[in-house]
Amino acid sequence: MAREKGLHRVSSSYINKIGLKSSYYRLNQNTKFSFSGEQVVLPKGTILSAVVSIDSGSKAKSGKALISTHVDISYALKKRLGFSKPYRFIPILLSYYPSRYTRVKRPAYVLPYGENILYAGGVKTFEKRAANYYDKPNFTGNALKLTSDGYLEYYKYHKEPLADGALHWQYVQKPTSYVKIQHTLTKGSKTFLYYQTKLKGVKAAHLNKGKYHYRLSIKNQHTPYQYSGNVYAMWASLYMVSGASYFTTPQNDANYGD
């Protein structure tokens, strides 16, 4: 695809080709995990964004390990497990034994590509961020984060930027508010997330009847954009979240160049 300078529309099929995809695994048993001297037990049933890869330090006979990837687990889980800095990304490395982990379909509540972060703003916000890649190398807006284990987290910008110039998540603060997703319903380009308690900072439908108390709608606009600079390119997929504009970056790895 010939590079066109500045902001321009690209096709959904193009995003399907370049989009950063994640695979998901479910833990079939409580699983011990150590990180920087901290040892915890990941609970049975936890969904991880991960890949199976060769690892020289693996204790498994195959020499393979299950390694967490782009989509983070929740702040709530990391806090419950006792990590000293639960707002940080915790890289998970587990020796791979096939009976302990089951690969599952992408959960309905997560996004198809990228790090699963929705940044507040529409195409103009994205264009401004991409155009100022060198001059202002941080994103200073608010954001929503969907975790692999089924939490919805809202982050209000406060002093420290939530993402760097290439829109890689920075993990610099705990979420302003968060909820456990109880149910997900997909209808065409819309995904509806149901949960029980109010998510502070995010507008959602308050349900007076039924099993769940709140419903958040996430609509994929299917209008992806690319911004091309002299030596870099950035991409955005546009979403509406209960009527408010957001965007996500489907391909972070390529944001630094060709």
Side-chain angles (χ1 to χ4, degrees):
M1 182 175 179
R3 174 167 290 183
E4 178 183 342
K5 294 294 194 262
L7 183 74
H8 57 280
R9 276 283 307 276
V10 293
S11 67
S12 294
S13 61
Y14 177 61
I15 295 298
N16 289 339
K17 291 179 181 178
I18 69 160
L20 188 64
K21 302 176 181 67
S22 293
S23 53
Y24 294 87
Y25 288 81
R26 181 184 67 243
L27 304 187
N28 295 330
Q29 62 187 55
N30 291 344
T31 305
K32 290 183 180 180
F33 165 65
S34 297
F35 174 71
S36 295
E38 298 179 300
Q39 187 173 79
V40 301
V41 177
L42 297 167
K44 176 182 177 180
T46 300
I47 303 295
L48 299 177
S49 163
V51 295
V52 177
S53 180
I54 300 297
D55 179 69
S56 59
S58 175
K59 296 179 181 179
K61 290 183 179 179
S62 63
K64 294 181 179 180
L66 188 72
I67 305 171
S68 62
T69 53
H70 314 292
V71 182
D72 197 12
I73 57 175
S74 65
Y75 170 84
L77 177 57
K78 286 181 284 189
K79 183 179 179 182
R80 188 165 76 246
L81 293 175
F83 284 107
S84 58
K85 296 181 179 179
Y87 53 87
R88 295 284 186 184
F89 176 75
I90 306 295
I92 297 172
L93 177 65
L94 304 169
S95 294
Y96 183 71
Y97 300 92
S99 63
R100 296 183 183 179
Y101 321 110
T102 298
R103 184 166 179 176
V104 297
K105 292 182 179 179
R106 174 175 62 87
Y109 48 78
V110 298
L111 305 177
Y113 309 111
E115 294 180 320
N116 229 36
I117 311 295
L118 287 161
Y119 297 100
V123 65
K124 292 297 182 183
T125 302
F126 167 70
E127 181 181 19
K128 185 178 180 180
R129 164 67 268 138
N132 289 285
Y133 175 79
Y134 291 112
D135 298 331
K136 297 179 180 179
N138 289 302
F139 179 80
T140 55
N142 304 328
L144 278 167
K145 178 179 173 185
L146 292 152
T147 71
S148 66
D149 58 321
Y151 275 80
L152 176 62
E153 301 174 346
Y154 175 68
Y155 293 81
K156 183 176 177 61
Y157 167 68
H158 180 67
K159 294 183 180 179
E160 296 292 334
L162 297 173
D164 66 13
L167 293 170
H168 289 281
W169 192 245
Q170 296 284 65
Y171 305 99
V172 293
Q173 66 182 56
K174 66 180 183 180
T176 307
S177 55
Y178 56 91
V179 293
K180 175 66 175 175
I181 299 167
Q182 302 291 333
H183 179 66
T184 306
L185 178 64
T186 301
K187 289 185 176 180
S189 61
K190 283 188 176 182
T191 298
F192 298 94
L193 305 180
Y194 294 81
Y195 44 93
Q196 299 292 51
T197 57
K198 184 178 176 62
L199 183 65
K200 184 179 179 181
V202 180
K203 182 181 177 182
H206 189 191
L207 308 177
N208 295 318
K209 296 181 180 180
K211 188 176 180 180
Y212 310 106
H213 295 162
Y214 292 91
R215 180 184 66 215
L216 184 81
S217 66
I218 300 178
K219 182 179 181 181
N220 189 341
Q221 300 287 77
H222 293 297
T223 53
Y225 280 83
Q226 176 175 320
Y227 185 94
S228 298
N230 292 326
V231 294
Y232 68 96
M234 297 175 70
W235 293 266
S237 293
L238 304 182
Y239 285 81
M240 295 297 290
V241 179
S242 290
S245 296
Y246 282 79
F247 68 91
T248 189
T249 51
Q251 172 53 291
N252 295 79
D253 284 359
N255 282 352
Y256 286 108
D258 293 328

